[in-house]
Amino acid sequence: MTFDRRHYIPVVKWKQGEQKALEILTPTSIERITPLIEIAPIDWDFENEMPKKTVDEHLVHFGETLERSWPHKAFIDLLYLHPSERMTSGLHPLAYILQEARAHHNPLVPVTSSERDADYNAEVVAANQLDHLGAAIRITELDFDSLQPTIDPLLVALQMSPEQIDLVVNYGYVEPALLTRTTLFLTGLIDNLPYLHAWRNVILCGTGFPKNLSDVSANSVEQIDRAEWIIWKRIMRTGTVNRGLIFGDYGISNPEPFEGDPRFINMSANIRYTADDKFIIFKGQITRRYGSTQYHQLASQVVSHPEYSGRNFSAGDLYIDDVAQNNDGPGNATSWRKAGTNHHLMYVANELSTVTLP
């Protein structure tokens, strides 16, 4: 599974909005995308100080949901599940997930990292012996200072060579002010990767999307640099890296999962819209106080913006236009994550197919 350098690897949090966004992609964009699916953390019951679900309840419909939303090749990462979690049957959650995927004719490539334990990596080994799809190794800032000592033990544990592995260089969130510095750092880091030319693919993945939108004023339209896209283009165009890099991002969200107590979070209505080199944030007011009907006005602002892609660009754009015209909506946080993510995935897949590269 060697990717063309115009292929796209979005990291997708496996929640309803993102699942539905994948489900309504066009066949052309599906061919250009291989998502890295992250199983979301088990929600916490703040009132009773305990998880809201067992791991069985959390994963029970995974196979059916995967078949409906993405019956294609994908990566899978269980980084947010505690290492001690086991299914009632005794199965490791990763073994269960991979078993469910196979049962629905959709084998997955498991993702591991230096933070996974021996039991997790044993399941990655077993998966490769059964599916022959190799694996992915995700390296993060924690590993950047000691790449060789991190990677070599993992290769031994996985019983695989770099040729069987996709290396995901996961640099996380980039503040706009650090964009140039991060570009230079990553250029040097990649050039010094162990086994640089041996990896099946090298995937560069990060985001400029902040953890929350508290810095965006209510009733405003503001822009945030798509740092990850700008960095990838700069590295690819300078030709200073001796290896083709596959582009990855976090869609219209930050890498960190939401951990706040929903009883005390005042969410504001917002539409996150991807455009050329930037995210455009259309923000309203607190939904608990002002309701969801404000999405009609926000959608009208998107449709009238010069960088709106048009109602026929994607299913997400069609929904935005319908809400603007009061033919649908107003929607909720999930439906707007679906629309924004669907537009984003289509937009990036299209960008990668047309961007000028040396």
Side-chain angles (χ1 to χ4, degrees), residues 325-346:
Q325 297 184 51
N326 288 296
N327 293 328
D328 205 337
N332 54 30
T334 298
S335 53
W336 284 104
R337 184 55 59 97
K338 169 186 172 182
T341 300
N342 178 261
H343 165 80
H344 177 88
L345 296 173
M346 292 278 290

Side-chain angles (χ1 to χ4, degrees), residues 199-313:
W199 303 106
R200 183 165 60 184
N201 298 286
V202 177
I203 300 160
L204 192 61
C205 185
T207 189
F209 207 96
K211 190 167 185 177
N212 59 60
L213 296 176
S214 58
D215 289 340
V216 178
S217 303
N219 296 323
S220 72
V221 180
E222 297 188 23
Q223 299 179 3
I224 299 169
D225 282 342
R226 286 172 58 206
E228 69 286 354
W229 176 240
I230 296 168
I231 287 169
W232 181 82
K233 285 192 298 182
R234 285 182 182 176
I235 292 174
M236 293 294 284
R237 286 173 173 170
T238 57
T240 51
V241 168
N242 298 313
R243 168 81 203 228
L245 301 174
I246 309 303
F247 176 74
D249 67 14
Y250 282 86
I252 55 170
S253 62
N254 185 268
E256 295 296 317
F258 174 75
E259 294 178 339
D261 186 340
R263 296 174 300 174
F264 306 111
I265 299 296
N266 288 319
M267 301 292 291
S268 294
N270 67 85
I271 299 177
R272 306 168 178 202
Y273 197 76
T274 305
D276 185 28
D277 284 356
K278 57 188 166 289
F279 300 104
I280 307 173
I281 310 300
F282 300 82
K283 188 174 178 180
Q285 299 183 86
I286 296 168
T287 51
R288 281 182 179 171
R289 187 179 305 168
Y290 297 97
S292 295
T293 56
Q294 55 187 309
Y295 275 111
H296 292 294
Q297 175 61 30
L298 291 175
S300 295
Q301 290 178 310
V302 178
V303 169
S304 62
H305 195 279
E307 298 212 51
Y308 175 58
S309 297
R311 65 181 275 117
N312 296 321
F313 181 79

